[in-house]
Amino acid sequence: GAVVSQHPSWVICKSGTSVKIECRSLDFQATTMFWYRQFPKQSLMLMATSNEGSKATYEQGVEKDKFLINHASLTLSTLTVTSAHPEDSSFYICSAPRLAGAYNEQFFGPGTRLTVL
Amino acid sequence: GIQVEQSPPDLILQEGANSTLRCNFSDSVNNLQWFHQNPWGQLINLFYIPSGTKQNGRLSATTVATERYSLLYISSSQTTDSGVYFCAAMDSSYKLIFGSGTRLLVRP
């Protein structure tokens, strides 16, 4: 299957700092990537759609000024959690769709575990 | 938007047993995928199955798009099958909507 990487795997930071998470599609190009958030023992919740060359689109209830998304190239999207607080602690996962005609399968990165102290 | 429901929420099996996991979705979908989330959080792609039946080793899946459900079959379960199984449906804007998952524990 296709490979999507994320960096870092985990991060611990102090309240008030900003944290940047990178998502890369390693063996295919992705004009669109997706960012999810998962709390313990819960399902994945879509936060936003990252669009190469244009602004990200956010799901209802997700603060765009808190979660800054930049899709810098066809293989890289970044999520920056600004002024992080303990309630932002979560598991963040990105995905990228590999497209071929009507075929549209999404592949997920390994996730980033964020702990805000 | 599309609603995705999975059942059962929890499942405990003895090693060697078979099981069926169900996924219902509320509207027509462009795509349906099954994933296994391992203990480290990585989502492993199991099946891309908008319709029909596919098999991969001890796992198989069937999607009946007209009736809006998909089934994941696990045969001869092993302890390494433990984890959370998610189905996710793709809506018309190509977003994947996840079900709440089935937490599987296979005992030796």
Side-chain angles (χ1 to χ4, degrees):
Chain A
V3 180
V4 177
S5 70
Q6 263 184 259
H7 179 80
S9 302
W10 56 271
V11 58
I12 301 173
C13 68
K14 293 183 179 180
S15 186
T17 60
S18 294
V19 175
K20 180 186 283 188
I21 303 169
E22 292 187 350
C23 176
R24 295 181 185 272
S25 55
L26 298 184
D27 54 355
F28 63 102
Q29 294 182 333
T31 57
T32 302
M33 294 183 179
F34 300 91
W35 288 95
Y36 295 81
R37 184 174 183 177
Q38 186 180 30
F39 291 107
K41 298 194 176 184
Q42 293 189 21
S43 186
L44 281 74
M45 296 299 296
L46 179 64
M47 298 174 64
T49 303
S50 174
N51 303 299
E52 191 270 336
S54 64
K55 291 183 179 180
T57 54
Y58 293 81
E59 296 301 300
Q60 191 172 10
V62 177
E63 300 176 58
K64 61 180 181 180
D65 295 329
K66 159 68 82 173
F67 300 101
L68 300 180
I69 291 173
N70 181 34
H71 201 129
S73 73
L74 288 173
T75 59
L76 173 63
S77 174
T78 60
L79 168 68
T80 301
V81 184
T82 62
S83 187
H85 291 284
E87 58 266 29
D88 299 323
S89 297
S90 189
F91 190 55
Y92 293 88
I93 313 173
C94 69
S95 74
R98 189 169 65 180
L99 305 175
Y103 175 89
N104 186 338
E105 183 175 2
Q106 286 203 27
F107 293 87
F108 285 76
T112 298
R113 201 164 300 279
L114 171 64
T115 302
V116 185
L117 302 177
Chain B
I2 293 176
Q3 306 294 318
V4 181
E5 295 181 352
Q6 289 186 245
S7 61
D10 297 280
L11 186 59
I12 300 175
L13 298 175
Q14 205 64 35
E15 196 169 29
N18 303 327
S19 64
T20 301
L21 282 57
R22 187 177 180 100
C23 174
N24 293 331
F25 40 97
S26 61
D27 205 345
S28 57
V29 298
N30 291 321
N31 170 24
L32 189 119
Q33 292 185 241
W34 283 95
F35 300 92
H36 176 213
Q37 189 169 36
N38 67 22
W40 298 272
Q42 171 78 64
L43 282 167
I44 309 297
N45 287 40
L46 296 178
F47 292 101
Y48 170 89
I49 187 162
S51 64
T53 297
K54 290 186 178 179
Q55 181 159 6
N56 184 3
R58 295 181 297 103
L59 302 182
S60 64
T62 294
T63 297
V64 184
T66 53
E67 297 186 22
R68 299 180 184 169
Y69 74 88
S70 184
L71 302 174
L72 177 68
Y73 306 95
I74 304 174
S75 64
S76 304
S77 58
Q78 300 176 359
T79 56
T80 51
D81 295 332
S82 297
V84 185
Y85 289 81
F86 289 106
C87 72
M90 184 174 288
D91 69 11
S92 57
S93 60
Y94 303 103
K95 299 175 184 177
L96 271 185
I97 308 301
F98 278 77
S100 54
T102 292
R103 193 171 300 271
L104 173 65
L105 174 63
V106 181
R107 289 180 169 159

